[in-house]
Amino acid sequence: MNTYRLKIKPQSSFLTPWQADTIFGNLCWIIAWHEGEDVLKEFLQDYKNGNPAFILSDGMPGDFLPVPVHLSLAEQKSEGFEAYQKAKNLKKVAWLSPDIFESVRKGNLEIDYPEEIKTFRAFTTLHSSINRITGTTGEEGSLFELSEYTVEQNEISIYLKIRDGWEEKVSLFFKYLSLTGYGKKKSVGKGAFEIIRELEPFDKFNDFDGANAFMSLSNFVPAKSDPTDGFYKTLVKYGKLGGEFTFCGNPFKKPLMMLTTGSSFKVEKTIKPFYGRIVENIAPVKQDVVHYGYAFAVPIRIDI
């Protein structure tokens, strides 16, 4: 697998965070609509068999990269007020510049406390539901809130590991996605984006002498054979079916616990390009629906 970076520019606010599993779900609908369900089933079977066509990272703000979970935990093991204060400050840091990230990736934990980086900005908008009979608003209880997001850099980077021969297809899938929009409320213009830089080779995540662990650039679900000695945080994902399945009667997936972006694990042997797995039997009314749970693995060094 070769590593690439794709850069997009949001043309509106978005309601759905740019997380790898959701991006993958949107791309699966693109495949179903443009190539048919049989092609999609064959495509997903490779993922179930551990032979994915491509691996996705979460969408990153500009060129910034997420903080490894073990960074602040390393400071907590040190003694003294200064170490405590540094660990406390590092807990507030979510993103690192490429240079600092590379330094941490190579095992250097003695970094200067980064200044606050403005990345994703969340805000709430107020809306009013429409009475389908009268076509008016203003009834009691008709107001509701929506959480929306923008990115301060006005650019989002998505990193991909692509199997040979799939580069053109992946590029085409994203072009189709840019025409339909991403995530919730795309029918009213939310999640609109344009591709400002096509797939380009990216070599900043290459393996190096001394690497003994991997860090994930996406939320993921570990496979049984994945390493367990590491540092991680968890979240519970409450997924929802998209596309035509939105109207299936019960569009909700089962709650799924995932390890978060930035989680890192020590590896005894060769570091693989990805870890994790596809989760099956996730949607009660659609047995063939799966959930993407692969980790975009970046080789790192951990000495703690």
Side-chain angles (χ1 to χ4, degrees):
M1 283 184 144
N2 296 315
T3 302
Y4 298 87
R5 179 172 64 180
L6 178 79
K7 279 202 171 186
I8 63 175
K9 180 179 180 180
Q11 296 178 307
S12 70
S13 59
F14 46 93
L15 283 75
T16 303
W18 287 83
Q19 296 178 346
D21 53 343
T22 311
I23 300 171
F24 183 82
N26 278 253
L27 294 177
C28 284
W29 278 109
I30 294 295
I31 296 172
W33 290 331
H34 289 273
E35 300 194 15
E37 291 187 10
D38 290 340
V39 173
L40 176 61
K41 288 180 180 179
E42 183 178 350
F43 169 78
L44 291 176
Q45 189 61 49
D46 282 345
Y47 281 82
K48 295 176 185 178
N49 295 337
N51 185 33
F54 57 87
I55 297 294
L56 295 158
S57 77
D58 288 357
M60 309 293 173
D63 293 330
F64 294 108
L65 293 159
V67 172
V69 170
H70 70 274
L71 185 59
S72 63
L73 297 178
E75 290 295 335
Q76 292 180 24
K77 292 189 175 184
S78 303
E79 297 181 356
F81 178 77
E82 184 177 346
Y84 164 79
Q85 191 64 42
K86 187 174 182 180
K88 184 178 179 181
N89 289 336
L90 282 172
K91 281 186 176 181
K92 302 175 184 178
V93 178
W95 302 96
L96 299 174
S97 67
D99 290 342
I100 295 179
F101 179 83
E102 183 65 13
S103 179
V104 172
R105 189 169 86 92
K106 296 293 179 64
N108 177 28
L109 302 182
E110 296 298 324
I111 65 170
D112 294 331
Y113 172 62
E115 297 181 1
E116 183 180 359
I117 298 173
K118 295 181 179 180
T119 54
F120 293 109
R121 181 174 69 87
F123 60 95
T124 301
T125 55
L126 195 62
H127 300 261
S128 181
S129 58
I130 299 175
N131 186 309
R132 301 303 178 187
I133 298 176
T134 65
T136 61
T137 63
E139 297 179 3
E140 183 177 354
S142 64
L143 292 177
F144 63 95
E145 294 181 343
L146 287 177
S147 296
E148 303 189 30
Y149 306 86
T150 58
V151 59
E152 296 287 349
Q153 290 74 23
N154 209 26
E155 287 184 5
I156 293 176
S157 295
I158 300 173
Y159 300 93
L160 304 98
K161 295 184 180 184
I162 305 177
R163 201 166 72 202
D164 288 344
W166 274 82
E167 293 84 358
E168 289 188 11
K169 283 188 177 182
V170 172
S171 181
L172 187 60
F173 294 158
F174 274 97
K175 287 180 181 178
Y176 285 142
L177 185 60
S178 71
L179 298 177
T180 63
Y182 170 79
K184 299 177 185 176
K185 299 291 183 181
K186 57 188 176 185
S187 61
V188 296
K190 299 299 181 182
F193 69 92
E194 63 174 330
I195 298 172
I196 58 174
R197 192 174 298 175
E198 299 281 354
L199 287 176
E200 57 181 356
F202 190 83
D203 61 1
K204 302 298 184 182
F205 299 149
N206 290 349
D207 202 354
F208 61 93
D209 291 339
N212 63 353
F214 79 90
M215 168 187 162
S216 178
L217 294 189
S218 59
N219 301 328
F220 72 103
V221 179
K224 289 183 179 180
S225 59
D226 285 352
T228 57
D229 181 11
F231 305 85
Y232 59 90
K233 294 181 181 179
T234 63
L235 63 81
V236 178
K237 197 72 179 279
Y238 297 92
K240 189 176 179 181
L241 302 178
E244 288 84 2
F245 290 172
T246 303
F247 310 103
C248 67
N250 179 14
F252 299 100
K253 295 181 180 180
K254 300 174 184 177
L256 177 66
M257 181 175 287
M258 306 185 76
L259 304 188
T260 64
T261 302
S263 297
S264 51
F265 290 86
K266 296 181 180 180
V267 178
E268 294 182 357
K269 299 180 181 179
T270 303
I271 299 171
K272 300 191 297 184
F274 58 86
Y275 294 85
R277 61 188 174 94
I278 283 289
V279 179
E280 301 184 64
N281 191 29
I282 190 70
V285 299
K286 293 290 182 180
Q287 298 299 319
D288 54 342
V289 168
V290 298
H291 194 97
Y292 179 88
Y294 276 102
F296 185 108
V298 175
I300 62 172
R301 181 171 183 82
I302 297 179
D303 292 318
I304 55 176

